[in-house]
Amino acid sequence: MPLDASSQLSAISTTLPATSLRRRFTTYLALSKPRLSFLMVLTTATAYSLYPVPAVLLSSTTIAPSLSALTLVFLTAGTGLCSASANALNMLMEPQHDAKMSRTRNRPLVRGLITKKGAFAFATTAGVLGVGGLWFGVNPTVAFLGGFTIFLYAGVYTPMKRISVLNTWVGAIVGSIPPLMGWAAAAGQSAAGSGEWQELLLGEENAGGWLLAALLFAWQFPHFNALSWTIREEYKNAGFRMLAWTNTKMNGRVALRYSLLFIPICFGLTWCGVTDRGFLVTSSVVNAWMVREAWKFWRKEGQKGSARGLFWASVWHLPVVMVLAMAHKQGLWEGIWRRAFGEEDDGQDIWDGEEDELDSESYRVMSTLPLVAVKA
């Protein structure tokens, strides 16, 4: 299994001069768990890009694009800072337990590269800047979700790891929130009402955001269950309650069960109009591979390389499905075809039709004005 990124960065920090800015930067980066934070940012940006923009707000019908590039910058930066804050608080709460595991024993607080006071200051600063940036640069709903992610990960998931195996489900909820943040950010850009959280997250038009969240929720079980199985004895010695050592058979069943959910979730994305029908075909190939590896992991109970096979399948599965979803976004290829061959866009036809109706209505109203004036 790959080494923990924070541990790798900590090892680099120890080779640098104690007072150098590079050492301090590398230490702070290690506190943020860069791989995990990057995953959170990636899923947030993907959901933002997959949001189905209304036809009347497309670039072909309005001068200003409906989805702002500046909003995307605030969204990704804010999400990354919130993730860094949550991860730093997570490390701050369990350095004595991290020291018992090979993957985490080189993390910055374990190695003494930074004090607890310094780690708390970093976590607080990142959290305030992250939530604040989301509030002022995106919208309050996304800012609340960012802050809730920090609370849930650091305040609930982290202490729960030593209490109950349900910590994995709580962690999966944390991982499912970033897609909702991206979706709510995009929905806020084209909101027809006041932009309250109900408009951005509820209703049939927002089903796509919840399906993307469900995809991230389900993905974490085959990924983490396979990873934790390979170091199950270390989790046990460190006092972390994981299915990998408390119930090995259930660990495999859960991984397989949630892997099977990828198929209906991807179907739902097409059904809701987020992706086109081609996504059903391409995603099914990747999902079938994931299910196959999860089935082997369950049948062999992690033995004979099945855990490693499922882990690496999960590593590739998520980014591939995300890229496929963006490549199969509903209307993407139709728009490219029209622009390439000069065909008129359907959205423009709708817009023109609405303009014609408005012109006719305006003419009818204007024609009655003299009569109104005479009656007055």
Side-chain angles (χ1 to χ4, degrees):
M1 293 296 153
L3 294 175
D4 179 72
S6 297
S7 297
Q8 291 177 315
L9 287 169
S10 295
I12 295 174
S13 295
T14 59
T15 65
L16 301 173
T19 58
S20 69
L21 291 177
R22 186 182 174 189
R23 174 168 175 157
R24 181 169 298 182
F25 172 78
T26 306
T27 301
Y28 287 145
L29 187 61
L31 280 174
S32 70
K33 296 184 183 178
R35 287 176 183 165
L36 181 57
S37 294
F38 176 75
L39 177 63
M40 297 298 99
V41 171
L42 174 65
T43 55
T44 303
T46 300
Y48 184 82
S49 67
L50 285 174
Y51 182 82
V53 181
V56 297
L57 295 178
L58 292 172
S59 58
S60 59
T61 57
T62 181
I63 296 176
S66 58
L67 298 184
S68 166
L70 183 59
T71 299
L72 180 60
V73 171
F74 275 102
L75 174 65
T76 53
T79 301
L81 287 169
C82 287
S83 179
S85 175
N87 291 326
L89 289 172
N90 168 266
M91 290 191 197
L92 183 63
M93 297 171 67
E94 50 187 28
Q96 68 275 25
H97 306 302
D98 283 342
K100 301 173 184 177
M101 300 182 63
S102 60
R103 289 187 71 252
T104 58
R105 64 172 56 128
N106 286 322
R107 284 179 172 177
L109 281 163
V110 180
R111 296 289 296 270
L113 295 174
I114 189 172
T115 63
K116 287 189 174 182
K117 183 178 179 180
F120 180 76
F122 170 77
T124 303
T125 302
V128 170
L129 290 177
V131 174
L134 293 172
W135 182 283
F136 292 106
V138 187
N139 60 59
T141 298
V142 177
F144 171 80
L145 290 174
F148 183 63
T149 300
I150 298 173
F151 164 76
L152 198 60
Y153 189 75
V156 180
Y157 166 74
T158 298
M160 197 174 183
K161 288 164 65 178
R162 301 182 59 79
I163 300 173
S164 170
V165 295
L166 292 178
N167 71 81
T168 306
W169 277 262
V170 176
I173 293 174
V174 175
S176 69
I177 294 177
L180 286 178
M181 294 171 64
W183 190 274
Q189 293 291 295
S190 54
S194 60
E196 296 294 328
W197 69 270
Q198 296 92 332
E199 182 181 6
L200 306 186
L201 293 176
L202 302 183
E204 294 182 4
E205 66 278 9
N206 294 315
W210 289 97
L211 285 169
L212 291 171
L215 179 68
L216 265 293
F217 179 84
W219 174 84
Q220 291 173 83
F221 291 94
H223 176 73
F224 179 75
N225 287 17
L227 170 64
S228 61
W229 189 91
T230 62
I231 52 175
R232 59 194 181 281
E233 291 301 323
E234 294 189 17
Y235 274 117
K236 183 178 181 179
N237 294 334
F240 295 129
R241 298 192 62 81
M242 304 297 173
L243 280 176
W245 68 267
T246 60
N247 193 331
T248 303
K249 292 184 178 180
M250 185 177 178
N251 188 58
R253 288 199 305 271
V254 169
L256 177 59
R257 186 183 305 151
Y258 284 99
S259 294
L260 289 169
L261 283 180
F262 295 139
I263 298 172
I265 289 172
C266 290
F267 177 82
L269 288 172
T270 299
W271 179 267
C272 293
V274 177
T275 58
D276 60 32
R277 294 181 180 178
F279 180 65
L280 289 177
V281 178
T282 56
S283 65
S284 293
V285 175
V286 184
N287 290 334
W289 172 42
M290 188 72 162
V291 170
R292 176 176 176 270
E293 294 298 328
W295 181 81
K296 290 166 60 179
F297 178 68
W298 167 64
R299 286 297 300 271
K300 298 178 181 179
E301 298 185 3
Q303 302 290 343
K304 299 180 180 180
S306 59
R308 185 178 298 273
L310 178 58
F311 173 79
W312 285 110
S314 68
V315 168
W316 285 101
H317 175 270
L318 184 62
V320 170
V321 169
M322 290 291 182
V323 170
L324 287 175
M326 290 188 288
H328 287 285
K329 182 178 180 180
Q330 183 68 43
L332 175 64
W333 294 104
E334 289 86 344
I336 293 175
W337 178 271
R338 293 189 187 100
R339 288 179 177 84
F341 294 95
E343 295 182 12
E344 193 172 29
D345 186 72
D346 290 341
Q348 184 65 45
D349 293 340
I350 295 173
W351 184 249
D352 291 342
E354 291 178 351
E355 285 186 331
D356 292 341
E357 291 178 5
L358 289 172
D359 290 342
S360 299
E361 182 66 17
S362 299
Y363 176 77
R364 186 184 66 77
V365 173
M366 292 296 293
S367 64
T368 62
L369 289 178
L371 295 177
V372 174
V374 171
K375 290 179 180 179

